[in-house]
Every structure is written in C-alpha cells, then in structure tokens.
Amino acid sequence: MQTTFRPLTRAQQARRQRVIDAAMDLGLEGGYEAVQMRDVAARAGVAMGTVYRYFTSKDHLLAATLVRWVELLDARLAQQPARGNSPDQRVLDVLDRALRAMGRQPKLVAAVFTSLSSPDPGAVECQQQVTVLMEGIVTRAIGEPQPPDLGDRARMIGHVWYSALVGWINGWSTLARVYGELEVAVGLLLPRELSS
Amino acid sequence: MQTTFRPLTRAQQARRQRVIDAAMDLGLEGGYEAVQMRDVAARAGVAMGTVYRYFTSKDHLLAATLVRWVELLDARLAQQPARGNSPDQRVLDVLDRALRAMGRQPKLVAAVFTSLSSPDPGAVECQQQVTVLMEGIVTRAIGEPQPPDLGDRARMIGHVWYSALVGWINGWSTLARVYGELEVAVGLLLPRELSS
DNA sequence: GGAGCGAGTGGAACACGTTCTAGAGGTTAT
DNA sequence: ATAACCTCTAGAACGTGTTCCACTCGCTCC
C-alpha cells in the first residue's frame, strides 16, 4: 500500500519499463497465455512482488503495455500527417495505418486488447488513457473543416473502432472487415457534404 | 469429445439449463468472481466434468448465460412494441428499456458481459449470437420508413452499444452516460430528415 | 552514525479454472 | 443377453495468477 505519493525515482522508472518490455517481448511471440508473471519477472530481472508493486494484475500490466504501444503509434502518426483532402479521407488514412501496425504484431495486440476490457481497476485507468489517445488521433486527423459535434463524431468512431477490433482479436473477424466497418462508420458520421 | 452430434436428450437439456441457472443465481449476487465452477456444479447438482462437457470454459458458460438473458429480453421487448413515431424515437425507447433491465441486475450483467469479450471459442459463438439478437432488436425498432443502408446503421448502433456498455461494466461510466452515447449515435445515424 | 522505514528479493503458499482418472449406470446393436 | 459405448460422478491433480512471509538493502532524519 503506497501511502505517500513520492514520484518514482529514475531507477524505479527503469524497472517499471523493463517489466513492460518483458511483457511485450513475451506477448509478441506467444500472445496472452505466453505472458506468465513468473517469466515476466525473471526476464525483467525483478521479483514477483515488485511486478505487483507496479501493476495490480496481469491485465493491468498488459493494458499498460497497450498504452505504451498506442503512445508510440501516436508519435509515429503525428510525425507523418494524415493524407487526404477531406476529413473522412484523412481519418480513414490514419485508421488504416493503425490497423496495419496491428496486423504486424497480431499476438501482442490480441493479448493487450483482451486485457484492456478487464474490470481490474488498474486496467480501467489504462482504458481511459487509450480512449483519450484514440480520440486525439481521430480528432487530429479530421482537422479542417471541423464538422459540427466534432467530439461526438470522434467518440462514435472510437466506439466502432473498439467494438470492431474486439471481433478481430477474438478471431471471428478479419482486419479487412474491421476496416470495412470503419469505412461505413466514417461514411455515415463524416459525410462529404460537411467538407464542402 | 463429442464425435457424433446426437441431439441432446430431454434430461440433458434440463441439466444444461440447470447449470446456466446456477451460474445466473451466483452471478446475480456476487458477480464474476462469485461464479466459481465448483459452486456452479454443486448448485446445479452435477459433477464438474459435466459442466465442462457442455461449456468449454467459465467464460463460455457465462456468455451462454448472456445469450439466454438477451433471448428473454428480446421476447419481452417483442411483446410490447417500441413506442415513438419515428425510427430514432423507437430505437431509443427500446434501448432505454434494455438498459433499465440491465440496471436491475448490474452484477450479473457485468459478469456475463466481461465473459462475452473472451477469446474462448465457445464464448465467441455466443458473441455472434448476441450480436445477431441485438441487431434484430434495433432493426425491428427502426421499422418504417426504412432508411438507406439499414443494416449498416443498425450495426453501427450495435457497436456503440457494446463499446459504451463496456465502460459501464468496468465501472468508469454510468448507465446514464451509456444512454447519452446511444442518443448521440442515434442522433447522428438516424437523423429525423430520413423519416419525413 | 544509528534508528526507522519503505522498496526489493526469493520463494513458499494459496485460490480457482481446468484436466484427468477410475468406475457406475444406462442405452444401442448384434 | 451381452458387448461396446456414452454419459455422469466424485474427487484428485495440475497450472498459473496472486498473495504472503522473512529477510536484506539503501536512504533519510535526527
């Protein structure tokens, strides 16, 4: 139980990061089941107790891994702005790039997304962070001209993104199908008329 | 391993249903963690092996419980048709009734929805059944006049419904907020102009 | 420079989902 | 009627997430 909220020392930051990296490594090859807490601890060079000091559960750890993953994605996307000369095109461009990135590491993405929907309080915090990041990505891609109810539309696209992705992760949909759903959503939520 | 697909005997149907009922009872009071397989088996009066003959996992069992729950909801909704004289009003009426029903058994609903997003193959089958049921409910509520891309719009509402609900289940949103998101979705996806 | 304290370690212990084993009925086909 | 086959039972056994314990180390505050 951490009573006083001292900021993490440099060494602690590093330890925490090592744990996340270890989880990423393991998840990359074997997915959710391959991320075993004993292995994570061993690979990160810390004791199990330490892992549980930083993360309340396996799901929290994996959800935190997703946050890191999306942050990296966000940075990459921000570097190269969305292509397209209307909001709908730009949004689809960005989402397409995001899905491609996921397709390159399907096991890891499946693992961390599965954890993202866990009711664990630690994981819930990460859910919110991911939501915020995604809304930012979509909002940035919409750019100008801003449609009315910008926030609402971005949030709805976020909902479709999440829900459709769950279908892929659980294996009864494909990335192409997810992209199709997003096309439909963008088509209905960001109609061309708005950009004229 | 069931090699030949003989239809279930009456006694087997009953056993299977007893197991689901037991899971419902336990989940009603204590949520996900209170549904322990040993307890389920004991309460249903069957051996653990039997539970696992009918359901591949705890998540499958709970997901099947949700299917049953939604079927009952569907039947109740079908009895009393949606109120409202435009598609958007009728859809919101139906969704509102569904959310109220959920609000009456929050722990159970949280438990079964958590399981719904499990990658377990048995659970995945249930996901699809629930998806189909929900799309049917929404499509029926839309009624006449049918907007263009009826299926797409209904499916998108389903996405928002699921994604927003996850927020409630995990405790960082409220039912009112979920309803708000659905209002926004319906507002954007079923604009009044379509009904005129 | 000693006392206190919180973080970290190593590993045992625990809980619960899941699987396995051995055997008892019951049903079907010959 | 009997052999073959399934289902079901009771409960042991297993695996992995999580917790607990006893201890060490390093820092901070007098």
Side-chain angles (χ1 to χ4, degrees):
Chain A
M1 188 62 68
Q2 197 168 355
T3 52
T4 61
F5 288 115
R6 210 186 303 272
L8 298 185
T9 68
R10 187 167 311 270
Q12 284 176 320
Q13 300 255 14
R15 247 191 301 271
R16 196 187 125 99
Q17 192 54 51
R18 277 211 312 281
V19 173
I20 290 186
D21 290 343
M24 246 184 200
D25 282 357
L26 291 170
L28 213 47
E29 298 166 20
Y32 189 85
E33 54 192 17
V35 182
Q36 305 206 354
M37 298 305 264
R38 287 167 179 79
D39 296 350
V40 169
R43 183 177 284 232
V46 304
M48 293 254 298
T50 305
V51 175
Y52 279 93
R53 176 176 306 278
Y54 289 102
F55 305 98
T56 61
S57 68
K58 172 174 175 174
D59 284 332
H60 181 199
L61 167 58
L62 282 172
T65 303
L66 176 58
V67 170
R68 175 119 190 90
W69 195 90
V70 174
E71 280 172 353
L72 294 176
L73 173 70
D74 188 27
R76 248 178 302 141
L77 291 179
Q79 264 185 327
Q80 185 167 349
R83 268 185 286 272
N85 40 35
S86 63
D88 64 317
Q89 285 180 359
R90 286 192 296 270
V91 169
L92 283 178
D93 178 55
V94 152
L95 292 175
D96 182 44
R97 280 197 263 164
L99 290 187
R100 276 180 211 283
M102 292 184 186
R104 262 173 255 127
Q105 326 188 314
K107 298 225 177 127
L108 175 61
V109 171
V112 297
F113 258 90
T114 298
S115 299
L116 193 65
S117 50
S118 155
D120 175 278
V124 165
E125 233 178 275
C126 297
Q127 287 164 28
Q128 289 162 309
Q129 293 175 42
V130 170
T131 303
V132 169
L133 282 168
M134 274 307 297
E135 277 174 34
I137 288 175
V138 171
T139 306
R140 207 176 335 122
I142 290 179
E144 300 292 336
Q146 285 192 6
D149 310 313
L150 171 63
D152 284 350
R153 291 174 203 268
R155 227 166 47 249
M156 293 304 123
I157 291 175
H159 283 309
V160 174
W161 180 77
Y162 174 74
S163 172
L165 218 40
V166 169
W168 172 58
I169 285 155
N170 291 346
W172 50 275
S173 184
T174 63
L175 271 188
R177 221 180 162 71
V178 173
Y179 185 74
E181 289 297 90
L182 286 168
E183 271 184 329
V184 170
V186 168
L188 291 171
L189 290 167
L190 295 175
R192 281 296 174 77
E193 305 88 83
L194 291 177
S195 351
S196 55
Chain B
M1 189 63 67
Q2 195 167 358
T3 52
T4 63
F5 288 115
R6 210 186 303 275
L8 298 184
T9 69
R10 187 167 311 274
Q12 285 176 318
Q13 300 255 14
R15 248 192 299 270
R16 195 190 125 99
Q17 192 55 52
R18 277 211 312 281
V19 173
I20 289 185
D21 290 342
M24 244 183 201
D25 282 356
L26 291 170
L28 214 47
E29 298 166 20
Y32 189 85
E33 56 193 15
V35 182
Q36 305 205 352
M37 299 304 265
R38 287 167 178 81
D39 296 350
V40 169
R43 182 177 286 231
V46 304
M48 293 255 295
T50 305
V51 175
Y52 279 93
R53 175 175 307 280
Y54 291 102
F55 305 98
T56 61
S57 68
K58 172 174 175 175
D59 283 332
H60 182 199
L61 167 57
L62 282 171
T65 304
L66 175 58
V67 170
R68 174 120 191 90
W69 195 90
V70 174
E71 280 171 354
L72 295 174
L73 172 70
D74 188 27
R76 249 178 300 139
L77 291 180
Q79 264 186 327
Q80 185 168 348
R83 270 184 285 272
N85 40 35
S86 64
D88 63 317
Q89 284 178 2
R90 287 192 295 271
V91 169
L92 282 178
D93 179 56
V94 154
L95 292 174
D96 183 45
R97 280 197 262 165
L99 290 186
R100 276 181 212 283
M102 293 184 185
R104 263 173 254 127
Q105 324 187 317
K107 296 222 178 129
L108 176 61
V109 171
V112 297
F113 259 90
T114 297
S115 299
L116 193 65
S117 49
S118 155
D120 175 275
V124 165
E125 232 178 277
C126 298
Q127 287 164 28
Q128 287 162 311
Q129 293 177 43
V130 170
T131 302
V132 169
L133 283 168
M134 273 309 298
E135 277 175 33
I137 290 176
V138 171
T139 306
R140 209 179 328 125
I142 290 179
E144 301 292 335
Q146 283 192 7
D149 310 314
L150 172 62
D152 284 349
R153 291 172 202 270
R155 227 167 48 250
M156 294 302 124
I157 291 174
H159 283 309
V160 173
W161 179 76
Y162 174 74
S163 171
L165 218 40
V166 169
W168 172 57
I169 284 155
N170 290 346
W172 52 274
S173 184
T174 63
L175 271 188
R177 218 178 164 71
V178 174
Y179 185 75
E181 290 294 271
L182 286 168
E183 272 183 328
V184 170
V186 169
L188 292 171
L189 291 167
L190 296 173
R192 281 295 175 79
E193 305 89 81
L194 292 176
S195 353
S196 55

